[in-house]
Amino acid sequence: MKKFRKVLDGLTTSSPVNVGSAPVCSSTAGTPTAAVTPREIEVQETLVSENFQICKTVRHGFPYQPTALAFDPVQKILAIGSRSGGVRILGRPGVDCFCQHESGAAVLQLQFLINEGALVTACADDTLHLWNLRQKRPAILHSLKFNRERITFCHLPFQSKWLYVGTERGNTHIVNIESFVLSGYVIMWNKAIELSTKTHPGPVVHLSDSPKDEGRLLIGFESGTVVQWDLRVKKADFRIYYDEAIHSVSWHHEGKQFMCSHSDGSLTTWNLRNTSKPFQVTFPHGKAQRDGKKPESCKPILKVEYKTTRNSEPFVIFSGGLSYDKASRRPTLTIMHGKSITVLEMDHPIVDFLVLCETPYPNEVQEPYAVAVLLEKDFILVDLTQSSFPIFENPYPMDIHESPVTCTAYFADCPPDIIPVLYSIGAKHKKQGYSHKEWPVSGGTWTLGAQTYPEIIITGHADGSIKFWDATAITLQMLYKLKTSKVFEKPKAGEGRGAEMVEEDPYAVQMVSWCPQSRLFCVVGISAHVILYRLSKHDATTEIVSLEVRLQCDVEDVLSPCEAESTPGLSDQSSHSPQQAPASPGSVTPEGLRDSIPCLKVKNRPVRMPPGYQAELVVQLLWVDGEPPQQITSVDINSAYGLLALGNCNGLAVVDYLQKSILLCMSTLELYGSSDPYQRLTRSPRKNRQFTQDNFCMRGLSNFYSDSKKRIRTSYQSLTELSDNQVPLELERSRSPTSVPYPTSLHNDPRSFPEPVANLKASHYSPVFHLLDNVRGPDRKLSLPTDLKTDLDHVNGHCTSPTSQPCVAGKPRVPGPEGPRLSRRGPGRPPFRKAQSAACMEISLPVSHTEGYASKRAMLQQLHGVSMYSHDEHHATMYSWSEKESRENSFSRSRSSSVSSIDRETKEAVTTLRFMESCARKADTAPAPSLWVGTSLGVVLVIGLSIPADEEERLDEPVAVAPSGTVLMLKGSVLTFGSLDCGGSLIPSPYEVWRDPHAPEDPDRPRKRKLVNFSPSSSQEVAGDGHLAVVCSERQAKVFLMPAQTCLFVHNITESSFVLRSDVVSVCNSVCLACFCANGHVMTLSLPSLRPLLDVNYLPLTDMRIARTFCFTNGGQALYLSTPTEIQRITYSQEMCDNLQEFLGELFTPVETPEAQNRGFLKGFFGGNAQTFDREELFGEAAAGKASRSLAQHIPGPGGMEGMKAAAGGVVGDLARARIALDERGQRLGELEERTALMMSSAEAFSKHAHELMLKCKDKKWYQF
């Protein structure tokens, strides 16, 4: 039982909970309310730290940068390796497992132990790993690290425990899979080739045993040499020397011939009866020469598969091989079946492919039925049983990255009827032409867990599309796709706005707001637009209403001294009262500046909309005086109120979407009124701008360059760019995935400014000013913000904080245009600069021509983002520039993805919005509709709303919107609002029950709005107690008692970092505050007391993508975009961690291995059957001896330690440890028994030989010896 007592008089200026911070936050406007007697409020908090534990649940999407592919033909499961060391194992829908090598080395090759429940991975660090797949979370059993050789190829014969390993030196080693010990049997390259050969044959590129005789191993070297090695007699049967390099080799199932693919685009077929020359040489895509000469060379054929069928001609399937004159064509997969040749063009380069066959035995007719093709950004299966070769419909969510993901939203415990509705609508738009057969990768088992609830994930993309995904019970299936670009006219190149927008992603989705109950959907685009959608099951033809908002704040211009003296000021004509744009569609000023025009043009004609989400309203911000609108940083919608609110760095706008009107359009400064806690400079009159080198204004990037193509907007390319350029693995691993090139043109621009201006740029411009179009230049790269490449940053002399500017260490400020401005700054006045989100995409940083940081510590302080200004700093004493330089070189962040500008003295961004029932003023006795506004300066403003109660009046009478004067303050940018009743229960926002807007009218039942309201008075007995408001910022969280506005609890979340994402979520039938910090910590705090319950350093922020897409939801779940193509879901609930095994699928299912076919007496008599031999007899320690210890090192794997670590605190952990210990003890006893048996057999052999020697020498005389 948690009890607390407070005096609710609203006049107290100090509080014991206000440790080391500002006074208790209360309203600065209005008259004091009458004193209220102390009241005791009891809150039952049920959450404890034992309710929380964080772990990964499942990963969805396409494996990022895939490198290898494998398939188990008996178990019907598939494995994909990636460059980052990850392995995805896929079976039937629901069977999806992700494994990660701790080393992070790229996976070079995968080999299943067919029908054994194990997988061998070969990595780029020359290590072999054996994975146990007979558990829901696979674990490594053994590892073998090669010390002196590089692994290039591996081959594991069917039903064999000996793995062949080829190396870069050309040697072939043999590894025992059971013990993961290297055999003493080695095939050295100099013995495999003839002694007369003077050149090294190159690395091993192929290994396979003959289908006819398992005792013969075919070794392919890169130089074109092929050797068949007789394992029994340890010598070569034959050697083939070919002029062209070999890429792959494939056997005919009878073992009498094989096919090679070469670097000149040719296929050679070799017959074992005559290996002196190829039986056949073909150039499938080469042009035949008229004079009978060799066809011209083609691109290399990287892989070939030679598969036979009973009833038709064999299949020859290969990748590559096109002629060089078709360089512009896409990557291809060629299928040769008899005389027909089919070329399948792929959208992406082919990484690997496998032919799926009916039998696992290599010496039987293969009967191929599908081809699995692994592309760089996709995975497809081609049906070989149909002549048209259609592809199978992929049941996995492999197309998350179809367009780069720019934002995510996660909703748990949705209304149960929403998923069937979206699925039925989305099913009508599915692609056709797929194979009618079932997906062939059908291994494993998965059942729907008992404790499931509807979950939906929404992803926004760079092309403006929105995807709704069914995420129930750790699965992911696409429900519905929405294209926001259909609302707008297509921009045409060379026509006005289109000339600027055509090279970018003008429709990229920046954020979404969705109400599952009312099914209203709001999309914020990067072009400063908001689209409101309603869900309907019927098609309709309607006209989309467009509202244009002129949201621009007057700011103080930076004037040079001569400019200030010579140019008279003109008063600004723009107003911030609620207004719509002028009637004219747009205008251009005499100076050629754009004014009062939006970035995109909405379709102004009736548009036919299919069933699904249909656009009803578009709100666009306008260009003002030649400046593009700043991106929208926050949005909220409430269906019960019929209102939509949006904000950016200039101010706030409130829209009535029922009446299609703008209610409020004010700058953030004007929202304060007389309650502004900051003393700000008066704004200078706006003057006419002239774009010359001598007359330049520091207003933004659009004024910084005369070229109209330079834009303020951030490019989403750097967030989720999937580069087509291949980079060596070593270089790729050493480089941050978020790195972007330096904009060298910034310092080499021929349009250079005069010297004073250049000095001003170098010392006072934030990095966000330097956003350039050419972010993909060829120069050096830098990552943001927590890659912690400290040495690089120290050398370059600039900080990489996403909210800092280039710093000058140990140098005084250069006198110039900034001189008069610094003298005008008041005591303790921090210079607010352009601000951007900590969760924004990466940006290009200039290499300033300054010295490095005075110390690495100072650089790290900048890198981690020291808060530069909060309400308690406002009362600080006067400081000099040199003493406070580090504080002034950073500024507070906003949660949004936009790179918005906050002017140095007057601008502050609206970072979060929330409609809710609250007491806006101290004098209020009952909750009323209100809008809570959070800003980048840590200020919370409450705006009162007066909404007509009657439905008819609501559609006719205007809604009154007025700032209440209530101001609450925190440290750092405000991120989240929440509302609790005095019993600690969450108060949801009111909503309107969904009704189909285009359903047929029923005359007997007129359509009326049905509202659901959760006011604080409905969940408690005494309405006079008010309610609790939870506010979380980048630095701290506070709980206020409303309407008294008394701060009950405060918790400083972090001092060394900052919060990126926070949400008030429900867990275990209670409520908590979940936070994700930039230093990788995931935290939960109890409500309302803000007790720390969980603090785990879980996810280092190595990529801005994580910060941009991380989101919490109810039920103790969260997700983030772990790679540009994959979504990682996690849980921070102990209950879900305990029940996770029930949700996961089984990878291994007991299946009988198919029996080998009986080939008949005649075939066996004439040598048709494959010859078997005992590999143990050849490769075992008794025959081959032990391998050199320095050659490879055996590393015991953790086995099932992951599961044991997860339950390390309780009885389950003890049982798991005991089980593992027993298994290890049994394994050691088994090894001891084997060694004992070996010693006994050795002793018996020695005794036998000694007895024979004794009998032989028994009757001999001494002189006969």
Side-chain angles (χ1 to χ4, degrees), residues 781-802:
K781 299 190 175 184
L782 181 68
S783 55
L784 288 178
T786 52
D787 283 321
L788 301 183
K789 300 196 175 181
T790 56
D791 298 331
L792 177 64
D793 299 339
H794 185 75
V795 171
N796 289 339
H798 66 273
C799 61
T800 59
S801 172

Side-chain angles (χ1 to χ4, degrees), residues 938-986:
V939 178
V940 178
L941 305 170
V942 184
I943 297 177
L945 308 173
S946 178
I947 302 175
D950 185 73
E951 182 174 356
E952 295 182 358
E953 293 181 356
R954 175 65 186 87
L955 298 177
D956 299 330
E957 298 295 329
V959 176
V961 180
S964 64
T966 299
V967 178
L968 310 175
M969 306 184 69
L970 294 87
K971 293 180 181 178
S973 299
V974 181
L975 301 179
T976 307
F977 295 124
S979 180
L980 308 176
D981 61 24
C982 289
S985 300
L986 183 66

Side-chain angles (χ1 to χ4, degrees), residues 830-880:
F832 298 118
R833 294 177 176 85
K834 296 263 182 177
Q836 67 165 341
S837 163
C840 71
M841 288 63 64
E842 58 247 350
I843 58 176
S844 301
L845 294 180
V847 182
S848 57
H849 303 289
T850 60
E851 296 180 356
Y853 281 83
S855 67
K856 185 174 292 186
R857 180 179 180 183
M859 184 273 300
L860 287 175
Q861 287 178 347
Q862 291 286 353
L863 187 63
H864 287 295
V866 180
S867 176
M868 70 79 124
Y869 191 63
S870 61
H871 61 278
D872 53 342
E873 294 173 1
H874 175 67
H875 304 286
T877 57
M878 183 182 301
Y879 54 85
S880 64

Side-chain angles (χ1 to χ4, degrees), residues 164 174 185 187 209-210 212-217 228-237 1169-1175 1177-1179 1183:
Y164 301 113
I174 302 171
Y185 194 111
I187 305 174
D209 51 350
S210 170
K212 188 177 180 180
D213 185 0
E214 295 177 352
R216 286 177 165 82
L217 182 68
Q228 181 168 288
W229 183 263
D230 191 327
L231 296 169
R232 298 182 186 88
V233 298
K234 299 183 181 180
K235 69 176 184 178
D237 288 336
N1169 278 336
Q1171 299 180 18
T1172 60
F1173 77 108
D1174 187 3
R1175 293 185 176 91
E1177 184 180 345
L1178 286 177
F1179 307 145

Side-chain angles (χ1 to χ4, degrees), residues 572-633:
D572 186 17
Q573 302 297 327
S574 63
S575 171
H576 297 286
S577 59
Q579 61 174 339
Q580 292 185 230
S584 61
S587 60
V588 178
T589 61
E591 293 84 2
L593 304 180
R594 302 179 180 215
D595 187 63
S596 301
I597 58 174
C599 296
L600 300 173
K601 183 179 180 182
V602 180
K603 292 180 179 179
N604 55 4
R605 62 184 184 276
V607 179
R608 183 188 177 279
M609 302 179 186
Y613 271 104
Q614 301 169 350
E616 178 179 306
L617 176 67
V618 178
V619 181
Q620 292 181 284
L621 303 186
L622 301 176
W623 285 62
V624 177
D625 294 339
E627 293 187 8
Q630 297 292 336
Q631 294 175 12
I632 296 170
T633 58

